[in-house]
């Protein structure tokens, strides 16, 4: 059974760095063909893909946020960490992590419950 | 701006069939995945690949693709299908991911 859970601060101030942790179980991020991604959703708005890390440590980032994002994994802890620098109120959103695995479309087949991050002074 | 375009809202009468579409150049090369999201909940994968349903997804959900358009069809829509639906696929480079803007489905 695959599960994922996001954790991190619920409130950050503008210009601060956000660090979110995705703790998962039921799979290993050292298994070939597996990835973990981050997706966010501002209140009342659409989903936005942010980043994904593969089993082989290959990393992909949204072009519009690439300069602010870093994704890393700790295979021994079954965790993936996303950092986002220079937070702004427009970054207020629910942040989801999700499992992805090789298939014809690399779908995000398991999702965490999400964590709401508010950016405000 | 999203590279995948969806109609913002669609409605369907209870028990009828509805098609939700997603357009984008990358769909000529890559399959779309479709997600259902109800208020306050995480998205749920309903269709991926050519036309695959994860375990537990009713067979009234199906997917198809033609040219630059992917479609999610719900045959015999139920009240519980009322939700937001998002498509997702690779971008044109094939290296990154993108989501559509979402379609709000109302079951009348």
């Amino acid at each position: 059974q695959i599960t994922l859970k996001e954790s991190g601060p619920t409130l950050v101030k503008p210009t601060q760095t956000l660090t979110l942790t995705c703790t998962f179980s039921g799979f290993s991020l050292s298994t070939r063909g597996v990835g973990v991604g981050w997706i966010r959703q501002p209140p009342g708005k659409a989903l936005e893909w942010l980043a994904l890390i593969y089993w082989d440590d290959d990393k992909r980032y949204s072009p519009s946020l690439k300069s602010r994002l870093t994704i890393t994994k700790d295979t021994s802890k079954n965790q993936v960490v996303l950092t986002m620098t220079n937070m702004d109120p427009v970054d207020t959103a629910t942040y989801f992590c999700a499992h992805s695995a090789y298939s014809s479309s690399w779908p995000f087949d398991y999702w965490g419950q999400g964590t709401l991050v508010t950016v405000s002074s | 701006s999203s590279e995948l375009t969806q109609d913002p809202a669609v409605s369907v009468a209870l028990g009828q069939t509805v098609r939700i579409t997603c357009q984008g150049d990358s769909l000529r090369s890559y399959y779309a995945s479709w997600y259902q999201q109800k208020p306050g909940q995480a998205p749920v994968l309903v269709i991926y690949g050519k036309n695959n349903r994860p375990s537990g997804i009713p067979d009234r959900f199906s997917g198809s693709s033609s040219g630059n358009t992917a479609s999610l069809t719900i045959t015999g829509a139920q009240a519980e299908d009322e939700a937001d639906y998002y498509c997702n696929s690779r971008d044109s480079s094939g290296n990154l991911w993108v989501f559509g803007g979402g379609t709000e489905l109302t079951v009348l």
Side-chain angles (χ1 to χ4, degrees):
Chain A
Q1 178 190 4
I2 290 176
T3 64
L4 305 97
K5 187 173 183 179
E6 307 84 355
S7 59
T10 58
L11 179 66
V12 297
K13 297 184 187 306
T15 75
Q16 287 187 336
T17 294
L18 171 69
T19 299
L20 294 173
T21 300
C22 175
T23 302
F24 56 85
S25 64
F27 68 96
S28 172
L29 200 39
S30 60
T31 300
R32 184 179 182 85
V34 173
V36 171
W38 285 93
I39 301 101
R40 72 178 179 179
Q41 184 173 40
K45 296 189 177 181
L47 300 170
E48 179 185 17
W49 174 74
L50 301 177
L52 186 139
I53 188 165
Y54 287 101
W55 79 98
D56 60 358
D57 210 37
D58 188 9
K59 302 165 187 177
R60 306 293 169 87
Y61 297 100
S62 167
S64 62
L65 294 167
K66 185 175 183 178
S67 64
R68 299 173 53 206
L69 295 174
T70 302
I71 189 170
T72 60
K73 64 182 175 72
D74 186 330
T75 305
S76 65
K77 293 183 179 179
N78 281 351
Q79 290 181 333
V80 170
V81 175
L82 182 75
T83 61
M84 180 180 293
T85 61
N86 194 25
M87 293 292 284
D88 183 271
V90 300
D91 297 313
T92 294
T94 297
Y95 288 76
F96 298 97
C97 64
H99 168 276
S100 186
Y102 176 78
S103 77
S104 53
S105 58
W106 277 90
F108 294 105
D109 51 1
Y110 296 91
W111 293 64
Q113 63 190 23
T115 185
L116 176 62
V117 178
T118 301
V119 184
S120 175
S121 55
Chain B
S1 64
S2 174
E3 294 186 33
L4 297 178
T5 302
Q6 298 182 240
D7 290 329
V10 170
S11 62
V12 61
L14 184 68
Q16 296 304 299
T17 296
V18 61
R19 176 174 292 182
I20 298 169
T21 61
C22 174
Q23 290 187 305
D25 286 342
S26 65
L27 299 179
R28 297 183 185 277
S29 304
Y30 303 101
Y31 288 115
S33 300
W34 289 93
Y35 306 83
Q36 176 192 71
Q37 187 181 34
K38 296 181 179 180
Q41 298 183 17
V44 173
L45 178 68
V46 295
I47 290 290
Y48 67 98
K50 188 174 183 180
N51 182 18
N52 301 301
R53 283 177 289 106
S55 175
I57 301 301
D59 61 5
R60 64 179 179 271
F61 290 89
S62 63
S64 62
S65 184
S66 177
N68 73 335
T69 301
S71 300
L72 172 70
T73 300
I74 307 174
T75 303
Q78 302 300 302
E80 60 263 33
D81 299 334
E82 189 163 284
D84 293 329
Y85 290 85
Y86 293 92
C87 61
N88 158 241
S89 186
R90 305 293 192 104
D91 75 340
S92 298
S93 74
N95 294 318
L96 307 175
W97 277 255
V98 64
F99 282 88
T103 297
E104 180 182 13
L105 176 66
T106 301
V107 179
L108 303 172

